[in-house]
Structure formats: C-alpha cells, structure tokens
Amino acid sequence: MNLESTAVPGATGNTQAQSNWLSWLLVAFLIYVLLAAVGAIGDGFKAATGSNAQELFAFASNPVIALIIGVLATALIQSSSTVTSIIVGMVAGGLPIAIAIPMVMGANIGTSLTSTLVSLGHIRNGEEFKRAFSAATIHDSFNILAVAILLPLELLFRPLATASAHLAGLLVSDASVSMSGMNFMKTLLAPAAALLQGSVAWIPGIWSGVSLILVGIGLILLVVTQIGRILRTLMVGRAMHILRSAVGRGPASGMASGTLVTVLVQSSTTTTSLIVPLAGSGVFSLRQVYPFILGSNIGTTITALLAATAITGASAMVALQIALVHLLFNLLAIALIYMLPFLRQLPVRMAETLAHQAQHNKGYVVAYIGGVFFALPLAMVGVSQLF
C-alpha cells in the first residue's frame, strides 16, 4: 500500500509536467501559425491589388476615419493584439504608414472597452462597482487622452513615423548583416505560406487574393484567442503572484509587472480582466491600478512586433515600422501624460467622475459605452466630412 500511495503523487506530477510541455509546444505551433497568417494577409493584399493598393485604401485616406476603423475593429474583436497584427499584414500589402498609424492609435482606444465591460460584473454592489468602473475607465481615459494629444502632433510633425522608420532601418539592417543575407523567416514560413496559397489557388482572379486575406484574418482571430486561453491556464497562478507582490510596491514596479504579465499572456484584455475585479474588491486602489494598466499597454505591443518578423523582402521594414509605432506610441504617451504631474491626474479625475456618476445612475454606463465607442466615432466621421 505504501508503494502505491507514493507512486500515485509521482505519476500525477509527471502527468502534469507532460501536460505543461504539450501546452507549450502547442503555443509554439500557434505562434508559427500566427506568423504564417500575417504573411498570408500581406500576400493576399498584393495578389488582390497589385500596384493599386493606394486606391483600395482611398476610403481611409482621412486620418480621422482611419482612427475610427481602428477603434471599431478593436471594439468588435476585443483584441488590440489581433487588430495590430492584421494592420502589420495590411502594411506589408500596401496600406500607407500614414493611414496605419491612426488605426493603431484607434486600436488602443478600442481595446479599453473590454475592461469597462468586465467592471459590469460588480454592478449590483454600489461601492464595488464604483471601484471597478473607475479602474476600468482609467484605461479608457488615458488612451483617449493619449490619442487626443499625440494624433495632432503626429499629423503636424510626424514624430512616430520618423522615429519608427529610423529604428526599423537600424534593426532590419542589423538583422541582414548578422544573418549574412540568409532569409531565415522566409525559409521557415515557406511550407505554411505554400499551403495557405494553395488552399485558395482554385479561386479565379483577384478573389484568390481576397480569400487569402480572409483566411489570414480568420487564422489570426483563432490563434490569438487560443494562445490567450492556453497561456491563461499556464500562467494565471504566476500572473496573480506577480500582481499581488508587485503592484502595490510603487508606480515603476506596477508598470513593470503590468508589462510582464501582458507579455506572458499575450493579451492586455486578459491583464485588465485580472486587475479590474481585484480593484472592485478593494485589493488594489485606483492609483495602484493606474501604472499597472499603463504597463499592459506596453506589453500588448509584443504581438505586433512578433507578427512583423513574418514579413520578408521589400515590405519587411515598413511592417516592422508600424509594429514599432505601436510600441513608441504607448511609451511616448506615458512619457507625456504620466511623467508630467499636471497631466498625470487627469485620467484619474476623469475615471473617478465617471464612476461616481455611474454609481448613482446606471444610465451613465450605457451612455458612456455607447457614446465613446459608437456615437463619438460616428460624429467624428461627420465632422471630418465637413472639412
């Protein structure tokens, strides 16, 4: 009996370890599929548009409309990682950088809808809901303020486009030198690219390119969802430990832990979904949550940077450039807003005011979500058409 009793725990531990290894192998496979899917979007746009990519995106020639596309797409898909990965593929296929940059900014706003929806789980308890809603809407408030400041600056002076182009040029050049001209990623992804292109080769004309785009987008949606699900299972215990041990230590620690947790789970929506209930229950204050959520904004850029490695050839630099725009935008927003005392408290005050109103009248919740993510974008479209 003793032998049996000692064998069972060992067998259980071995089974758990084997299951974890299989899960990590599955994550590696899904990342490979993600890279192939991003490459498929670029190939599909090239096949569908040829040299007419500029005409295809003429409807989004207005930066305001491009911003709204980013907001609405991310609000619907509920993943800025997915949308920015798609944008990377679109840039590789011919989408102008000047149009892609507002789309990336819009993705930052759209992803904050998730944390707002998560806070509704506390709506039956007044004080809990107030804390949760303020923690959720500080994400919205910061991202909206960041776009309000940085989009006009980008349109006037192009700091993000210039800095990202310079960095991309350095990184692509360094990569080509260190690898002696060998295109490792193209070789690695060639079997998957051939399989995806072959799956739509029977479709005539430009529709094969359109179909390849749809296949790529569908795979990205599926893969990002599955990676998030698997990593949540593998990392949630570790993530919660990081949250409890690091968030309360100060802004720098909170920001670093937010970045790390988001990189681990490959999703800022997962990170905010973890922190908002903890804020609602009173484990963390709004001022502790604030830097942690800013860290999640940085961490979520890893997916687009990873996706950019799937793009090879002449489009490699612009694909990496738009991925770097996402990172630089979030870093610059933190530098301008969080580091400046007179701006730092503005998102906090906005979130606290919204939470106070929502606590006393739930109609504010409906008005806020409908206004920020639907009515306001439509109004911006109308105004942009006038000018």
Side-chain angles (χ1 to χ4, degrees), residues 35-49 85-94 197 209 212-213 216 220 311 315:
L35 297 178
V38 172
I41 292 176
D43 292 340
F45 270 104
K46 289 174 184 175
T49 65
S85 295
I86 292 171
I87 292 171
V88 166
M90 292 168 67
V91 166
Q197 290 173 9
L212 190 57
I213 294 168
I220 288 175
I311 309 301
S315 302

Side-chain angles (χ1 to χ4, degrees), residues 14-332:
N14 290 337
T15 302
Q16 182 64 40
Q18 185 179 14
S19 175
N20 285 344
W21 273 110
L22 290 174
S23 295
W24 282 115
L25 286 173
L26 181 56
V27 168
F29 171 74
L30 289 172
I31 290 174
Y32 177 80
V33 175
L34 172 65
L35 297 178
V38 172
I41 292 176
D43 292 340
F45 270 104
K46 289 174 184 175
T49 65
S51 60
N52 299 317
Q54 298 284 346
E55 295 178 12
L56 181 65
F57 295 107
F59 74 96
S61 59
N62 188 318
V64 174
I65 296 179
L67 173 73
I68 292 164
I69 290 171
V71 173
L72 294 178
T74 311
L76 291 171
I77 295 172
Q78 292 283 286
S79 172
S80 62
S81 299
T82 301
V83 171
T84 50
S85 295
I86 292 171
I87 292 171
V88 166
M90 292 168 67
V91 166
L95 178 67
I97 287 288
I99 297 302
I101 289 175
M103 284 187 182
V104 168
M105 293 183 179
N108 254 42
I109 295 176
T111 194
S112 58
L113 173 62
T114 305
S115 53
T116 306
L117 295 176
V118 169
S119 71
L120 300 182
H122 299 268
I123 201 165
R124 292 184 179 180
N125 185 312
E127 283 302 316
E128 276 193 21
F129 176 64
K130 182 179 179 181
R131 291 193 295 263
F133 195 72
S134 63
T137 53
I138 200 170
H139 195 198
D140 310 357
S141 301
F142 182 88
N143 288 340
I144 291 169
L145 183 60
V147 171
I149 294 172
L150 291 178
L151 180 57
L153 287 176
E154 181 63 25
L155 295 177
L156 290 172
F157 305 110
R158 306 186 70 237
L160 294 174
T162 303
S164 61
H166 180 68
L167 283 175
L170 292 175
L171 292 172
V172 169
S173 297
D174 289 343
S176 63
V177 169
S178 64
M179 297 176 69
S180 302
M182 183 181 70
N183 199 329
F184 173 72
M185 286 305 301
K186 185 175 181 180
T187 303
L188 182 65
L189 295 173
L195 180 63
L196 291 173
Q197 290 173 9
S199 69
V200 299
W202 57 275
I203 302 174
I206 66 169
W207 295 108
S208 63
V210 172
S211 299
L212 190 57
I213 294 168
L214 295 176
V215 168
I217 291 174
L219 282 175
I220 288 175
L221 292 173
L222 176 64
V223 167
V224 171
T225 300
Q226 291 303 312
I227 288 177
R229 182 183 63 81
I230 296 168
L231 288 178
R232 277 196 296 272
T233 302
L234 289 171
M235 303 305 301
V236 68
R238 206 169 305 174
M240 289 301 296
H241 175 71
I242 293 171
L243 286 180
R244 293 183 181 279
S245 62
V247 172
R249 292 183 182 177
S253 177
M255 210 173 293
S257 60
T259 302
L260 179 59
V261 172
T262 307
V263 168
L264 291 176
V265 300
Q266 291 273 294
S267 171
S268 62
T269 57
T270 299
T271 307
T272 53
S273 295
L274 284 171
I275 198 70
V276 167
L278 292 175
S281 61
V283 175
F284 298 121
S285 69
L286 179 61
R287 281 161 177 77
Q288 289 173 321
V289 168
Y290 187 10
F292 178 84
I293 285 179
L294 300 188
S296 76
N297 275 357
I298 298 172
T300 196
T301 63
I302 190 67
T303 306
L305 288 167
L306 181 63
T309 65
I311 309 301
T312 57
S315 302
M317 195 174 85
V318 290
L320 180 59
Q321 183 183 353
I322 194 60
L324 287 169
V325 163
H326 195 200
L327 174 63
L328 293 174
F329 169 71
N330 284 300
L331 291 175
L332 186 56

Side-chain angles (χ1 to χ4, degrees), residues 3-19:
L3 290 174
E4 292 179 3
S5 63
T6 55
V8 171
T12 303
N14 290 337
T15 302
Q16 182 64 40
Q18 185 179 14
S19 175

